[in-house]
Amino acid sequence: MARTASDILVDVLVDWGVDTVFGIPGDGINGIMEALRTRKDEIRFVQVRHEEAAAFAACGYAKFTGRLGVCLATSGPGGLHLLNGLYDAKLDHQPVLAITGLQFHDLVGTYTQQDVELDKVFQDVALYNQRIMGAAHVHNITTLACRTALAHRGVAHITIPVDLQDQPAGDDLRAPRNVKGHNTSLFAPELPVPSEEQVKRAVGILDAGQRIVILAGQGALKATDQLERLADRLGAVIVKALLGKAAVPDDSPFTTGQVGLLGTAPSQEALETCDTLLIAGSTFPYIEYYPKPGQARAIQIDIDAARIGLRYPVEAGLVGDCRVALDILLERAAPHPDRSFLETAQAGKAGWLRLMEERGTRPDLPMKPQVVAWELGKRLTDTAIVACDSGTIATWWARQIPARRGQMHSLSGNLATMAPGLPYAIAAQLAHPDRQVVAYVGDGGFSMLMADFATAVKYGLPIKVVINNNRSLGQIKWEQMVFLGNPEYGCDLHPIDFARVAEACGGKGFTITDPKDCGAALDAALAHPGPVVVDCIVDGNEPPMPPKVQAKQALHLTEALARGTPDALKIAATVFRNRAREII
């Protein structure tokens, strides 16, 4: 049979090293599905239960491999369902290619069924976004889509009418100027090296600094050794953005952990008292947690020149890969013998860790959410991959689950969307079949895409899904009270027996209600050879307290309780008991 446009599309994907495509079949992509079927020994199609899960999985695949993630959806609603996961990839700078179908090429724009011009819909989310016009167009467009997504670490989208997917490929279809072979498939870009002028500026700033903080983000995930060596040389403190959680292990003597609303008190204190800030691969978005402008002299390392100075005024901008730039600074920066700033931070960290242990070992009923995170963190292997979700769950993940050297951790960073934890875990287990993979999620996020637990069962993926089930949209609940002083409203969730859901899907389910049973139940779940859901029923009145409570936040919480928040007395009692314990 003659080769088709879809065959060429799959050829290009294989040439670019794509081995996995996440999606759902549909009549708008029948030609592509047939091409995937005939090449199934080279490229696997992973069927999910919702296109949003396909896009999240493609983003997770990119995060946990550094390679191109690919998702596929049919015309109309199928393509529209991809958008949330694609925005997750866009905002976290992950290389993802979305492929969608269109209606028959001569019916587009005629109000036919599912007549959605997806290339127009995707104009904002995709940095490369094209409609394929025929078989002779496929190679050029697909090649550019793959190259652009990888080169610029973002989303590319191509869409192709369903009838053109089966169009026979032949040289006679080519335009005269479309010379065969003119578009090279592969590329191997060299990492940019910062300019000598900016390096000299950066070294001068570091040499003059006395209280240096390094803010590490996801751009520094592969620069662990360089970060620690530079911190040692400078007597610096490393603080971490959420996406940079695994950049430095939490047992490193140089880090005080996360920053921001979900961060640690010693990290915040280091930022508040530093005189020099080195931002390594991060554009951490919460500007209010940076040093006040003018307090610290700043240097920023980023692969994208447009992001230099985005969050904080900098005097030196090193455009390049973090590992390369940090190696250069290590060679040139003078050693700092004064360790007093680092030692102060280390003392603060020791006190913070004692507090986290106290919170993570409480015997209270209902079970505290910190207990689940604490017990899980102790049981993760050195090469575990942890996919977190958005909500209060992210607070417990950030504080109670330590990142160890060799582990990978991620969540939806800048979009902070609910629901990616499960699809991320599925992608991680497919990419790394020999590693322990855990999705650490809330009941709100998990229930949005929980049908995809059946995907893990179908493909024999031994992921472990640990659910902090507080039976509410917890983050929204606390934001309503603490940010605005409004009573909680609309956040209660009807209970779901997630262990029974897991069993109904063909997996294994556990339920934990008592902290004294938590460790043993997690041991059993982690030892089970197949996919597991662990439904942990936790206290919905346990607040995710910021590292430092502001007077305005305390006032708003008091107002919310006084104005009729459900369980106001229980919440007040919980907050009072927690604070009393910490003071004692």
Side-chain angles (χ1 to χ4, degrees), residues 133-255:
M133 309 297 288
H137 201 203
V138 173
H139 185 277
N140 291 343
I141 292 300
T142 309
T143 295
L144 279 167
C146 294
R147 180 185 296 139
T148 305
L150 286 164
H152 295 284
R153 300 194 61 79
V155 175
H157 168 241
I158 56 178
T159 190
I160 179 170
V162 62
D163 53 324
L164 298 185
Q165 294 169 26
D166 291 321
Q167 187 178 57
D171 290 343
D172 55 317
L173 297 173
R174 289 180 174 273
R177 294 172 62 186
N178 185 10
V179 178
K180 187 174 182 179
H182 79 271
N183 194 340
T184 303
S185 290
L186 304 181
F187 79 113
E190 292 186 4
L191 295 173
V193 177
S195 73
E196 179 63 22
E197 177 189 356
Q198 295 299 317
V199 168
K200 287 180 178 178
R201 286 188 192 179
V203 170
I205 294 168
L206 292 178
D207 287 349
Q210 296 180 6
R211 301 183 303 280
I212 302 172
V213 167
I214 302 171
L215 170 58
Q218 74 168 345
L221 288 174
K222 295 182 180 179
T224 302
D225 291 340
Q226 287 83 355
L227 287 168
E228 289 194 298
R229 287 166 54 205
L230 186 61
D232 188 22
R233 188 170 186 82
L234 302 176
V237 177
I238 301 172
V239 302
K240 300 185 290 184
L242 283 183
L243 289 174
K245 181 177 174 72
V248 175
D250 281 307
D251 61 2
S252 168
F254 304 107
T255 187

Side-chain angles (χ1 to χ4, degrees), residues 238-315:
I238 301 172
V239 302
K240 300 185 290 184
L242 283 183
L243 289 174
K245 181 177 174 72
V248 175
D250 281 307
D251 61 2
S252 168
F254 304 107
T255 187
T256 50
Q258 310 296 134
V259 294
L261 188 65
L262 282 56
T264 74
S267 288
Q268 189 58 36
E269 288 162 2
L271 284 170
E272 290 173 355
T273 56
C274 70
D275 63 14
T276 306
L277 176 64
L278 171 57
I279 305 170
S282 177
T283 50
F284 176 69
Y286 295 98
I287 300 170
E288 63 270 29
Y289 289 96
Y290 286 80
K292 288 182 172 54
Q295 170 196 318
R297 302 181 70 189
I299 304 158
Q300 185 172 352
I301 304 168
D302 204 287
I303 198 78
D304 183 355
R307 292 184 169 265
I308 299 291
L310 180 64
R311 308 293 186 209
Y312 193 81
V314 301
E315 296 181 39

